[in-house]
Amino acid sequence: MGDDLIEKALGLLCDKYIFPEKAAEAAAVIRAKRAAGAYADLGEAELGEQLTADLAEVCADKHLRVRPREEDLREALTEEQMIAAYVQQLRRNNHGIARVERLDGNVGYLDLRQIPDASAGGRAIAAAMELVTHTSALIVDLRKNRGGAPNGVIFWTSYFFPDDETHLNDIYDGASGRTRQFWSLAHLPGERYLDRPVYVLTSDVTFSAGEEFCYNLQTQKRATLIGATTRGGAHPTEFFPLSATMEITVPIARAVNPVTGTNWEGIGVVPDVEVPAGEAFGYAYEKALRHVLATGTSATVLEEARAALPASG
């Protein structure tokens, strides 16, 4: 079983990986190690860990992993079944939206743990934005966000731009050799969030699509990033089952930001204000409250902001 799993993984690696030369090099290294007995007598989970470590030595790509499949995905082996299981999973975890709140001082707060595909999560994203649309400043907490779908990032971040004229990201697809441009959307459900500050909280857990969310807003100077440098994974990925219980995730494309001409792969997104991740919320909330006190006109909101300020740090 181990040899079959390894060969299937290497076949997918060489066929799909965005960097074919690296794939061939990694496959040669792993085959040599297998011939030397490096993977003998390893259980599936241990084998996945060792293969992932060996792939990392050659490719240094945090998206490239061999790992156990999640329990609720193990019956999904075809592409159609995997999509259906993914949609069900999104519904169960509220499309990654862990918390939406109006904080004292009329500051909006979004805790986003995942970025859903826009076709599945668009209504939930719009509903979350509707609940913060009249706040005076917004905190978007991505400290526990481990990724998701690029089109979901575009849907979310389009709310922070006035029209469809902001070029947010490009993705180069390895299989076709084509580059797809991603621009802010011309139409969104509900109101856009304009002319008010946005603070994005980051940590060393923030990954993949969560990082793109950060990078898109930072390069367009539309948000202030506060926290720790993110994990550093910029390659859109597909999941391929190796068996009912194991899978390989293979990067099949790479992001190219239109402002910087590059991405955050391997280095992470460096926040504008570096503070320990655990202190990021307090720092951002204080900045938001001070903005409210400097610009607000509602006596009730100003009173809330003054009362909240001493506890915000």
Side-chain angles (χ1 to χ4, degrees), residues 78-95:
T78 68
E79 183 176 1
E80 184 179 33
Q81 290 170 336
M82 291 177 70
I83 291 172
Y86 167 71
V87 171
Q88 282 296 109
Q89 187 182 62
L90 282 178
R91 290 170 179 164
R92 283 193 294 269
N93 71 10
N94 200 35
H95 301 279

Side-chain angles (χ1 to χ4, degrees), residues 215-238:
Y215 201 72
N216 288 358
L217 294 182
Q218 185 183 58
T219 55
Q220 296 293 336
K221 303 185 186 303
R222 182 58 190 94
T224 301
L225 273 55
I226 300 171
T229 299
T230 63
R231 190 175 168 196
H235 298 151
T237 299
E238 286 190 10

Side-chain angles (χ1 to χ4, degrees), residues 34-241:
R34 183 185 62 188
Y39 309 118
D41 303 321
L42 293 180
E44 276 194 338
E46 293 173 304
L47 177 59
E49 290 178 4
Q50 188 58 57
L51 288 173
T52 298
D54 292 340
L55 288 167
E57 283 190 11
V58 177
C59 302
D61 191 323
K62 293 175 182 177
H63 273 112
L64 185 56
R65 293 167 287 182
V66 179
R67 62 185 185 181
R69 304 184 76 198
E70 294 183 34
E71 290 283 349
D72 55 358
L73 297 179
R74 291 186 176 183
E75 298 300 319
L77 294 174
T78 68
E79 183 176 1
E80 184 179 33
Q81 290 170 336
M82 291 177 70
I83 291 172
Y86 167 71
V87 171
Q88 282 296 109
Q89 187 182 62
L90 282 178
R91 290 170 179 164
R92 283 193 294 269
N93 71 10
N94 200 35
H95 301 279
I97 303 168
R99 186 171 155 202
V100 184
E101 188 174 354
R102 177 200 178 275
L103 304 173
D104 285 346
N106 200 35
V107 176
Y109 176 75
L110 299 172
D111 183 358
L112 310 181
R113 308 291 176 87
Q114 184 179 3
I115 307 294
D117 186 283
S119 64
R123 289 176 60 192
I125 293 170
M129 289 304 300
E130 181 68 23
L131 292 175
V132 299
T133 192
H134 298 300
T135 56
S136 303
L138 181 63
I139 298 171
V140 183
D141 193 343
L142 301 180
R143 289 176 295 177
K144 296 181 181 180
N145 193 296
R146 297 178 182 271
N151 65 21
V153 176
I154 298 304
F155 196 99
W156 268 117
T157 55
S158 290
Y159 277 94
F160 306 119
F161 299 95
D163 48 39
D164 60 350
E165 296 186 5
T166 303
H167 189 181
L168 294 170
N169 192 32
D170 290 337
I171 292 181
Y172 171 78
D173 178 71
S176 67
R178 296 177 181 174
T179 298
R180 178 182 175 184
Q181 295 184 348
F182 289 84
W183 292 68
S184 53
L185 300 178
H187 171 75
L188 292 166
E191 297 181 29
R192 296 175 189 263
Y193 199 91
L194 307 175
D195 305 319
R196 285 159 287 173
V198 177
Y199 306 100
V200 178
L201 311 185
T202 64
S203 76
D204 60 2
V205 173
T206 312
F207 190 53
S208 193
E211 293 177 284
E212 187 199 330
F213 191 114
C214 300
Y215 201 72
N216 288 358
L217 294 182
Q218 185 183 58
T219 55
Q220 296 293 336
K221 303 185 186 303
R222 182 58 190 94
T224 301
L225 273 55
I226 300 171
T229 299
T230 63
R231 190 175 168 196
H235 298 151
T237 299
E238 286 190 10
F239 300 75
F240 301 97

Side-chain angles (χ1 to χ4, degrees), residues 211-283:
E211 293 177 284
E212 187 199 330
F213 191 114
C214 300
Y215 201 72
N216 288 358
L217 294 182
Q218 185 183 58
T219 55
Q220 296 293 336
K221 303 185 186 303
R222 182 58 190 94
T224 301
L225 273 55
I226 300 171
T229 299
T230 63
R231 190 175 168 196
H235 298 151
T237 299
E238 286 190 10
F239 300 75
F240 301 97
L242 301 172
S243 69
T245 54
M246 295 293 290
E247 68 184 12
I248 183 170
T249 64
V250 182
I252 45 82
R254 58 183 173 87
V256 183
N257 183 271
V259 176
T260 65
T262 183
N263 59 46
W264 58 95
E265 178 66 31
I267 57 173
V269 183
V270 179
D272 302 299
V273 180
E274 292 193 69
V275 298
E279 299 175 14
F281 172 79
Y283 188 100

